[in-house]
Every structure is written in C-alpha cells, then in structure tokens.
Amino acid sequence: MNSAVFAYAALGLAIILEVAGTVFLQRSAQFTRLWPTLAMAVLYAGSFYSLTHAIKAMPLSVAYAVWGGVGIILTATVGYVIFRQALDFAAILGIALIVSGVFVINLFSQTAVH
C-alpha cells in the first residue's frame, strides 16, 4: 500500500477512535461510571496508536492539525446529534475557520503528504 494512503487511513482511524472516545468521555460522568471510562481509555489509546502510524509518513504538525480539525468537526456533530448540544454562530464560525486551515494545509502546503 502507498505510504500516503496508509498514512491518511491511519489518520482517519485515529480521528474516528478519538471522537468515539470523546463520546464515552461524556458518558463516563467524570469517570464515575466504569464501563464508559474503560471504553474511553481504550479508544483514546487506539487513537494515539493510529496517529503514530500516520506520522511515519507525514509531518507531526500536519497530522495533528488534520486530526484536531476534523476531530473538532465530528465531535461537534456528534455532540449535536447524540447529546443535543446546539452551537451558536460564534462556535460555528470558529469551527469553519479551523476547517479552512485544514484545507489550506492539505491543498497548498509542501509538507503535507500527497
């Protein structure tokens, strides 16, 4: 498999695991519920493990920017859908700016893996 494809697949998995871990973080009720807390820890560990594979083929700064940016978007979406946590205009604008930054990095940066 191409190293760029593998890196982005590993990064995608890291993002999915991180968002799932964040859902269980909410469900853990400040670590007072055992099973959601354990699920959160396993999912976060898996996320970081996948992230280590992504940074074998791409710069840490690019991988982390994409991981954080896409993770924020998905977490906000999950928060709205599952937990009914609505966002105001300022929050949506801030997320849009983060997304814009991720696009700029991936489309124009010479350091991103393509």
Side-chain angles (χ1 to χ4, degrees), residues 49-107:
Y49 179 74
S50 294
L51 188 60
T52 66
H53 287 287
I55 63 174
K56 287 179 183 177
M58 68 175 57
L60 175 62
S61 58
V62 172
Y64 194 77
V66 174
W67 183 66
V70 176
I72 288 168
I73 296 163
L74 291 177
T75 301
T77 302
V78 167
Y80 179 76
V81 172
I82 294 176
F83 302 116
R84 303 287 184 234
Q85 298 171 341
L87 300 174
D88 62 9
F89 177 76
I92 292 169
L93 178 62
I95 291 170
L97 290 170
I98 292 168
V99 172
S100 300
V102 170
F103 275 114
V104 167
I105 289 169
N106 280 291
L107 293 176

Side-chain angles (χ1 to χ4, degrees), residues 18-30 33 36 40 44 74-87:
E18 187 267 334
V19 172
T22 303
V23 169
F24 281 99
L25 176 64
Q26 176 77 25
R27 299 267 190 226
S28 76
Q30 294 76 41
R33 298 178 60 219
M40 177 215 57
Y44 279 164
L74 291 177
T75 301
T77 302
V78 167
Y80 179 76
V81 172
I82 294 176
F83 302 116
R84 303 287 184 234
Q85 298 171 341
L87 300 174

Side-chain angles (χ1 to χ4, degrees), residues 24 27-42:
F24 281 99
R27 299 267 190 226
S28 76
Q30 294 76 41
F31 307 129
T32 60
R33 298 178 60 219
L34 177 63
W35 294 113
T37 300
L38 291 175
M40 177 215 57
V42 168

